[in-house]
């Protein structure tokens, strides 16, 4: 995983609440067994003019973009910071939703409300893919959305200082945020969780040896 | 210190704690074809093995065609199924293939085979893993990177321990009501994000009165209320699930006695505090029906589609989009809304008691003209049990399609799908846009409410048909 230290990029706002994983990536695309190719599948049933969603095995073959979908607005093209409403990523545990957001070009997602911005599983999956999911207080979110809403805003997300700076023309907002230390550490170093855990292998062995007999599956 | 059930199960599994993260030992890992291929790839790339193949159980459910399981026509579905088959062989995992007699929806076969046990931790790359909490197990859904992590280490990193949300259900369910109505009412009360960051414990007389199957239905939908998991303390009903029926993987003889002695301690102590708490009175419930595109958009079966003013403020912002997508006019009485499709099945309501409840309503009646009704058992074992009880004949005589085991129309990944604009009464758990097929309109209901919709061709308060 690539370390995440400071990210600089254009901001897009999708001001919808309860955006669920079926919306982020419709279930039919879960038939893929690959780990790449999810970018064009992000919001596949909203983003293209009806009938234009790509076939499952050919993500690049999609129809024209639907101008009514907020992320398709010209000023949102090339954005890498996504500002979203509450409870983003609710619904299923599919990591495909995070792959779609990340491969769709976003490095940071910002949602309002502590413990309310993201669905739990989505937040965990984001971490495992180096996608920074930041929750900021509603009032700060409102300030960000206000200056970024019209489009064309630039943001700097500094994970070392834990500060988001959004600038649009003369207007600037600076918002502090907090990511739990262990998570931050992993993102900053781009660490793979498995090798980290395997350092604790003797603890795992000991736990298994101490487990009661009934917990082992009977042989079926 | 008095502790909640959730704390007890969590604490038993803690291997290591850092400032904000906890490493939990995982007792059971369930695997299906959709969320695993990239995890197996990761293992291969790193040259890793599955640490405990004996604790890992795989089956095929999402992609299975339920009309004829063996005939997977979609090449992509076929590829996904074959990939799991090959991966299970390569890594030496327990695998329940189609027609093995034990295949089924992963959350249905876990309990019925005794893989799911009280006091254990259970994970699966599937959000409805919360189902298994019905046994007093800590069970939750994980993403594909985590699937790989559990395979390689049999452990999982978690953030700080979630808060405990107590959901007390008092009173007694009236005739015509089912566990599904309880959980829909709970989600209606707390909202789809109400449980975010929490693990729910369901308790109270109305929960105690439920069978294991009913408890599974309740815990299944914890995730729809935003919770990580749902739990119910094990009791005699739970123990009988293991003592009355031989479950292949469950402990036997002395091991079972020791297990039950331990399981009796798995309850929330007197004086332990939930971080949050709500109470629902089951006696006051009427059958519940969702009208919109999230599972908190729910009304009473004898009611009407809400008008904007009648909605709680949390639902107003999304309401217009929901009315439009669902093709509904606010104020319309529910019993005037016709249905095109009825789906009875899924990990929420595809167990034998669900099929019995549906059969009771369908018996001697006919599926209404123009309505397509699918009845899909949750597992091969549920299917054979239904045959033994003659339920298949009840459904077929009524004109419903009796299918083979799988996820079926719960989600649009296999041939069972809604057509754009079709309206369904469905016993599944999600009513998101497009969940059952692009443009499909889903109303979540209990099995008997679904059966009532099938025989009347529109939403009907099932209590009218049962003459209660
Ligand atoms: S029945 Fe539905 S909710 Fe349950 S595992 Fe299958 S697709 Fe998921």
């Amino acid at each position: 995983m690539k370390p995440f230290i400071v990210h600089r990029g254009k901001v897009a706002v999708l001001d919808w609440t309860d955006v669920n994983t079926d919306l982020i990536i419709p279930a039919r695309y879960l038939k893929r067994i690959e780990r790449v190719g999810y970018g064009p599948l992000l919001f596949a049933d909203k983003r293209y003019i009806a009938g234009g969603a790509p076939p499952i095995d050919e993500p690049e073959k999609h129809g024209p973009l639907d101008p009514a979908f907020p992320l398709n607005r010209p000023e949102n093209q090339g954005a890498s910071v996504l500002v979203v409403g509450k409870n983003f990523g609710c619904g299923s545990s599919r990591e495909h939703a995070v792959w779609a957001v990340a491969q769709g070009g976003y490095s940071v997602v910002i949602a309002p409300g502590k413990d309310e911005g993201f669905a739990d599983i989505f937040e965990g999956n984001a971490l495992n893919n180096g996608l920074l999911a930041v929750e900021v207080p509603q009032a700060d979110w409102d300030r960000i959305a206000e200056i970024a809403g019209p489009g064309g805003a630039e943001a700097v997300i500094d994970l070392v200082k834990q500060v988001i700076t959004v600038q649009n023309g003369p207007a600037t907002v600076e918002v502090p945020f907090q990511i739990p230390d262990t998570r931050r550490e992993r993102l900053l170093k781009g660490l793979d969780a498995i090798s980290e855990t395997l350092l604790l292998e003797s603890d795992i062995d000991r736990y298994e040896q101490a487990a009661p007999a009934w917990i082992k599956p009977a042989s079926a | 210190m008095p502790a909640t059930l959730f704390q007890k199960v969590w604490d038993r599994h803690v291997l290591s704690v850092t400032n904000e993260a906890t490493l939990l030992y995982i007792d059971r890992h369930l695997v299906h074809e959709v969320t695993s291929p990239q995890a197996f790839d990761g293992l291969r790339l790193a040259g890793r093995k599955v640490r405990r193949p004996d604790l890992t159980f795989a089956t095929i459910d999402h992609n299975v065609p339920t009309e004829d399981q063996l005939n997977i026509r979609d090449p992509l579905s076929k590829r996904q199924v074959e990939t799991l088959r090959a991966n299970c062989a390569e890594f030496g995992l327990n695998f329940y293939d189609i027609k093995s007699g034990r295949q089924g929806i992963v959350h249905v076969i876990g309990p019925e085979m005794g893989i799911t046990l009280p006091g254990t931790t259970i994970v699966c790359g599937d959000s409805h893993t919360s189902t298994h909490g019905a046994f007093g197990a800590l069970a939750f859904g994980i993403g594909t990177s985590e699937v790989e992590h559990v395979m390689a280490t049999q452990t999982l990193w978690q953030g700080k321990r979630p808060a405990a949300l107590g959901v007390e259900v008092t009173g007694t369910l009236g005739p015509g009501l089912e566990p599904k109505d309880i959980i829909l009412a709970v989600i209606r009360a707390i909202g789809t994000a109400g449980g975010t960051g929490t693990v729910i414990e369901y308790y109270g007389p109305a929960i105690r009165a439920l069978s294991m199957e009913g408890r599974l239905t309740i815990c299944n939908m914890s995730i729809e209320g935003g919770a990580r998991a749902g739990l119910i303390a094990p009791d005699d009903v739970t123990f009988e699930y293991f003592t009355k029926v031989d479950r292949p993987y469950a402990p036997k003889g002395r091991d079972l006695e020791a297990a039950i002695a331990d399981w009796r301690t798995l309850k929330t102590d007197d004086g332990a505090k939930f971080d949050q708490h709500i109470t629902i009175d089951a006696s006051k419930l009427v059958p519940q029906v969702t009208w919109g595109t999230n599972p908190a958009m729910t009304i009473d079966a004898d009611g009407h589609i809400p008008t904007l003013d009648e909605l709680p403020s949390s639902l107003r912002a999304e309401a217009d989009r929901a009315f439009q997508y669902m093709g509904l006019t606010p104020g319309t009485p529910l019993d005037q809304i016709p249905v095109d499709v009825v789906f009875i099945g899924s990990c929420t309501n595809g167990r034998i008691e669900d099929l019995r409840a549906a059969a009771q309503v369908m018996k001697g009646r006919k599926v209404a003209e123009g309505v397509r009704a699918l009845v899909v058992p949750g597992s091969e074992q549920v299917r054979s049990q239904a045959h033994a009880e003659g339920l298949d004949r009840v459904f077929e005589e009524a004109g419903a399609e009796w299918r083979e085991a799988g996820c079926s129309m719960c989600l649009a990944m296999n041939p069972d799908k809604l057509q754009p604009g079709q309206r369904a009464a469905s016993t599944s758990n999600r009513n998101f846009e497009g969940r059952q097929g692009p443009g499909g309109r889903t109303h979540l209901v209990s099995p008997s409410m679904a059966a009532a919709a099938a025989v009347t061709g529109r939403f009907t308060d099932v209590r009218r048909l049962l003459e209660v």
Side-chain angles (χ1 to χ4, degrees):
Chain A
M1 232 161 59
K2 232 173 71 208
F4 187 114
I5 298 166
V6 177
H7 177 80
R8 190 180 299 270
K10 206 164 155 186
V11 188
V13 181
L14 182 66
D15 181 15
W16 297 355
T17 56
D18 294 315
V19 170
N20 63 66
T21 49
D22 279 76
L23 214 60
I24 299 174
I25 182 165
R28 59 185 185 279
Y29 294 114
L30 309 195
K31 285 196 179 146
R32 299 170 54 79
I33 60 171
E34 297 81 5
R35 184 72 180 246
V36 292
Y38 291 88
L41 307 179
L42 177 63
F43 295 115
D45 284 341
K46 290 276 163 198
R47 175 170 167 188
Y48 306 104
I49 287 174
I56 297 163
D57 49 349
E58 291 173 292
E60 301 299 335
K61 264 177 113 182
H62 54 77
L65 296 176
D66 180 350
F69 182 59
L71 297 182
N72 287 342
R73 285 208 290 265
E75 64 271 21
N76 284 335
Q77 298 318 296
S80 60
V81 177
L82 184 60
V83 175
V84 297
K86 255 189 194 140
N87 202 21
F88 187 80
C90 62
S92 88
S93 63
R94 66 188 69 151
E95 197 158 316
H96 311 66
V98 166
W99 299 337
V101 173
Q103 293 169 26
Y106 297 98
S107 300
V108 183
V109 191
I110 301 172
K114 183 154 165 31
D115 294 338
E116 293 179 321
F118 297 100
D120 295 340
I121 305 181
F122 183 90
E123 206 173 356
N125 288 339
L127 172 74
N128 285 323
N129 287 276
L131 174 72
L132 182 63
V134 193
E135 290 177 337
V136 297
Q138 182 73 51
D140 289 339
W141 187 92
D142 291 343
R143 286 162 60 214
I144 295 175
E146 194 188 329
I147 75 165
E154 291 274 340
V156 178
I157 292 89
D158 186 331
L159 188 57
V160 181
K161 295 195 199 130
Q162 304 198 82
V163 175
I164 301 172
T165 315
V166 184
Q167 190 169 17
N168 204 352
T172 307
V173 217
E174 209 176 271
V175 170
F177 65 92
Q178 259 196 329
I179 304 280
D181 280 347
T182 22
R183 291 188 168 212
R184 195 162 73 102
E185 210 47 23
R186 272 185 48 199
L187 286 164
L188 286 169
K189 294 192 181 144
L191 275 185
D192 154 12
I194 295 179
S195 23
E196 239 190 326
T197 306
L198 288 175
L199 299 174
L200 300 169
E201 207 162 6
S202 55
D203 292 338
I204 305 175
D205 291 339
R206 230 173 299 133
Y207 185 93
E208 286 178 337
Q209 279 149 20
W214 60 261
I215 221 155
K216 203 170 156 36
S219 43
Chain B
M1 264 279 275
T4 62
L5 166 63
F6 163 55
Q7 275 169 347
K8 291 182 185 180
V9 182
W10 174 279
D11 289 346
R12 280 178 175 208
H13 292 88
V14 173
L15 268 175
S16 164
V17 190
T18 66
N19 280 348
E20 304 94 355
T22 304
L23 187 65
L24 290 184
Y25 190 80
I26 301 301
D27 296 313
R28 300 284 187 271
H29 188 190
L30 306 173
V31 174
H32 64 65
E33 77 277 15
V34 182
T35 50
S36 64
Q38 294 88 354
F40 285 111
D41 263 355
L43 291 181
R44 255 190 301 269
L45 275 172
R48 291 178 175 132
K49 286 205 195 54
V50 174
R51 179 183 170 92
R52 292 293 301 270
D54 60 324
L55 304 183
T56 314
F57 302 86
T59 192
I60 302 166
D61 49 13
H62 288 61
N63 283 282
V64 175
T66 63
E67 198 165 11
D68 173 7
Q69 287 186 321
L70 290 175
N71 187 8
I72 307 187
R73 263 171 276 164
D74 175 356
L76 291 162
S77 285
K78 202 165 175 175
R79 186 176 69 145
Q80 204 161 52
V81 167
E82 280 165 0
T83 304
L84 181 64
R85 219 173 254 149
N87 281 329
C88 288
E90 179 182 339
F91 289 90
L93 309 186
N94 300 298
F95 176 54
Y96 302 102
D97 206 340
I98 293 165
K99 303 285 181 199
S100 62
R102 287 178 168 177
Q103 171 269 346
I105 304 171
V106 68
H107 310 308
V108 175
I109 70 168
E112 75 188 6
M113 288 207 285
I115 296 168
T116 306
L117 299 179
T120 55
T121 44
I122 304 176
V123 296
C124 174
D126 192 287
S127 56
H128 289 100
T129 310
S130 60
T131 313
H132 308 265
F135 286 81
L138 175 58
F140 51 89
I142 56 178
T144 297
S145 304
E146 294 174 314
V147 168
E148 185 182 335
H149 190 277
V150 175
M151 284 177 174
T153 68
Q154 206 57 38
T155 65
L156 192 65
W157 285 102
Q158 293 287 287
K160 61 173 196 298
R161 189 174 68 203
L165 166 60
V167 171
E168 181 183 15
V169 189
T170 58
T172 325
L173 272 185
L177 278 106
E178 293 187 56
K180 183 68 163 283
D181 299 306
I182 296 183
I183 190 61
L184 286 173
V186 169
I187 297 163
R188 182 179 177 179
I190 67 174
T192 52
T196 307
T198 76
V199 165
I200 299 178
E201 180 181 339
Y202 303 93
Y203 66 101
I207 300 292
R208 285 289 142 241
L210 296 175
S211 67
M212 284 320 297
E213 312 224 322
R215 296 178 188 186
L216 287 160
T217 301
I218 303 257
C219 288
N220 174 270
M221 289 189 72
S222 304
I223 187 80
E224 270 62 52
R228 203 68 223 282
L231 287 164
I232 295 174
D235 58 10
D236 288 332
V237 176
T238 320
F239 309 147
E240 278 177 13
Y241 191 85
F242 299 100
T243 52
K244 291 228 164 121
V245 182
D246 182 38
R247 314 225 166 242
Y249 290 107
K252 322 226 177 319
R254 267 216 216 113
D255 280 345
L256 182 57
E257 283 166 29
I260 291 178
D262 176 60
W263 297 343
R264 286 192 193 280
T265 67
L266 294 173
K267 52 174 189 243
T268 292
D269 297 326
D270 292 338
K273 273 233 163 26
F274 292 109
D275 302 283
Q276 302 160 48
H277 177 264
I278 67 156
T279 302
I280 296 227
D281 183 356
S283 314
K284 297 214 176 93
L285 289 183
V286 300
Q288 302 286 293
V289 180
T290 67
W291 64 267
T293 51
N294 84 44
M297 295 173 160
T298 298
I299 49 174
D300 291 346
D302 54 7
H304 57 264
I305 303 304
T307 58
L308 216 46
D309 326 329
E310 288 166 339
L311 283 172
S313 55
S314 57
L315 294 179
R316 269 181 225 160
E318 304 300 309
D320 275 331
R321 221 170 74 211
F323 290 136
Q324 201 185 16
Y325 182 84
M326 295 298 288
L328 291 171
T329 312
T332 314
L334 186 68
D335 62 7
Q336 288 176 14
I337 299 171
V339 301
D340 304 302
V341 175
V342 169
F343 168 57
I344 298 168
S346 87
C347 59
T348 316
N349 284 128
R351 283 171 291 268
I352 191 71
E353 285 181 8
D354 302 313
L355 301 188
R356 285 181 196 139
Q360 197 199 342
V361 176
M362 281 203 198
K363 197 173 172 94
R365 295 191 168 100
K366 290 272 177 233
V367 171
E369 183 94 10
V371 174
R372 177 180 183 213
L374 268 83
V375 186
V376 190
S379 71
E380 292 184 350
Q381 291 197 51
V382 170
R383 187 173 150 94
S384 3
Q385 178 68 27
H387 277 262
E389 296 180 16
L391 302 183
D392 55 324
R393 284 196 307 281
V394 174
F395 297 128
E396 285 183 335
E397 275 161 21
E401 300 172 36
W402 169 244
R403 294 299 192 86
E404 297 184 328
C407 293
S408 183
M409 206 183 266
C410 177
L411 94 172
M413 267 195 93
N414 58 66
D416 302 335
K417 284 189 196 53
L418 292 180
Q419 297 306 309
Q422 274 188 333
R423 187 178 302 286
S426 175
T427 66
S428 54
N429 45 43
R430 290 205 169 125
N431 54 351
F432 298 150
E433 292 183 25
R435 169 74 179 184
Q436 297 189 293
R441 295 161 170 165
T442 302
H443 297 263
L444 304 175
V445 290
S446 73
S448 58
M449 278 294 291
V455 297
T456 59
R458 56 206 159 77
F459 290 101
T460 302
D461 184 340
V462 65
R463 295 175 302 174
R464 281 195 235 158
L465 299 185
L466 297 172
E467 291 167 27
V468 295

